[in-house]
Amino acid sequence: MAPDTESIPATGSAAPPTPLAERVNVLTMDDPWLWLQAGWRDLMAAWPVSLGLGAMFTGLGFAISAGLALTGLDYLITSTIAGFLLVAPALAMGFYDISRRLEWGERPTLWRALTAWRANPVHMLSFGIALLFFMMIWLRFAALVFAIFFPYVNMSWGSMLNQTLSPEGLVFLAVGSGVGAVFAGVAFMAAAVSMPMMMDRPIDAVGAVFTSIIAVLRNAKPMALWAGLIVVFTEAGLATLLVGLTITLPLIGHATWHAYRSVVPSPDEDRNR
């Protein structure tokens, strides 16, 4: 179902339209499901490249987890896994490239997917670094929340597990989840369509992020559904000890490309408005 691009007239005491709303299309609640369908078709059409790239990221997750465990920082594994959602839009740029090349009728390759950042290197890499820095801030906040609730407990995997199973630990989990949800919400608003947009057009990071924020604000309900689907599929991949990410990460990556195509008008659409 194509997104409805007609403006919604303001009536009575309705809220004023989103500033610069003409930069994005109006979506329906059906659209996120259609993005998943289109993402699955792309995954099937280029499964050797998509699954190969997904397996590489799964292996990277294993390597990071093993590195944290070997250096005595195993208590950071859970927070790092949770922070994965914050940097996933940058990691998925290869899947955007695969979907774009399928759209062009070209044959995707692993090398082209790995070097997708070359389409707009300065802004794509700078935004990726910003997301990585944002995840580092999240890790510090997670450690701070634990220290506030359990100031006399050493941070280790065993002690954290014991404490979170206590009554105080339930409150800690609730607060920590709330803080994490805020971080995830900010990251989603900034990255919902910005990375594929930077790969597809000669736009800077500020303009792409601004467009992404407008898209989320103007389409709050469909984008909230989309965010929920991303969380469900990503958590399903993480719950299988990262193995499931081999499939769920490509699926969400390809679907995000189609989300961008639905949300942001093409140059021809802009001229016809």
Side-chain angles (χ1 to χ4, degrees):
M1 179 182 296
D4 180 11
T5 57
E6 296 181 0
S7 299
I8 300 176
T11 58
S13 58
T18 306
L20 300 178
E22 70 279 359
R23 291 190 178 189
V24 299
N25 291 325
V26 176
L27 304 174
T28 72
M29 296 299 288
D30 292 331
D31 287 304
W33 302 105
L34 297 177
W35 301 338
L36 282 176
Q37 294 175 17
W40 181 255
R41 288 195 298 268
D42 287 352
L43 176 58
M44 291 294 98
W47 66 266
V49 180
S50 291
L51 295 183
L53 192 58
M56 290 179 61
F57 287 123
T58 299
L60 178 62
F62 281 126
I64 293 174
S65 298
L68 291 173
L70 291 174
T71 54
L73 300 175
D74 52 336
Y75 60 88
L76 289 177
I77 293 177
T78 303
S79 299
T80 303
I81 290 175
F84 172 81
L85 284 169
L86 305 180
V87 298
L91 296 177
M93 69 177 72
F95 303 113
Y96 311 149
D97 180 79
I98 293 171
S99 289
R100 182 173 66 161
R101 294 191 182 279
L102 289 173
E103 189 177 283
W104 288 348
E106 296 183 1
R107 180 180 179 182
T109 66
L110 185 59
W111 174 250
R112 286 174 173 175
L114 290 173
T115 57
W117 54 270
R118 294 189 301 176
N120 193 350
V122 173
H123 297 292
M124 292 183 73
L125 292 178
S126 62
F127 185 62
I129 293 172
L131 289 178
L132 181 61
F133 181 70
F134 194 61
M135 189 184 78
M136 294 173 63
I137 295 176
W138 151 247
L139 292 176
R140 298 310 303 168
F141 263 87
L144 177 62
V145 171
F146 183 85
I148 290 174
F149 276 87
F150 310 108
Y152 305 110
V153 177
N154 292 328
M155 293 196 69
S156 66
W157 181 265
S159 61
M160 289 183 69
L161 182 60
N162 290 333
Q163 294 300 325
T164 52
L165 293 177
S166 65
E168 294 83 0
L170 297 178
V171 180
F172 159 72
L173 289 176
V175 173
S177 298
V179 173
V182 171
F183 273 81
V186 172
F188 176 75
M189 290 185 68
V193 298
S194 54
M195 189 63 81
M197 188 177 185
M198 282 186 280
M199 190 185 71
D200 189 47
R201 308 183 185 202
I203 187 173
D204 59 53
V206 174
V209 169
F210 191 56
T211 302
S212 182
I213 293 173
I214 294 171
V216 174
L217 292 177
R218 193 182 192 198
N219 298 285
K221 291 182 179 179
M223 293 304 264
L225 172 60
W226 178 230
L229 290 172
I230 291 175
V231 171
V232 168
F233 279 92
T234 303
E235 292 296 334
L238 296 173
T240 57
L241 298 180
L242 308 183
V243 175
L245 289 177
T246 303
I247 296 176
T248 59
L249 184 58
L251 174 61
I252 293 299
H254 292 311
T256 298
W257 171 260
H258 293 282
Y260 153 69
R261 282 300 201 204
S262 294
V263 171
V264 182
S266 67
D268 290 339
E269 287 181 292
D270 282 334
R271 284 193 292 269
N272 293 332
R273 289 189 174 202

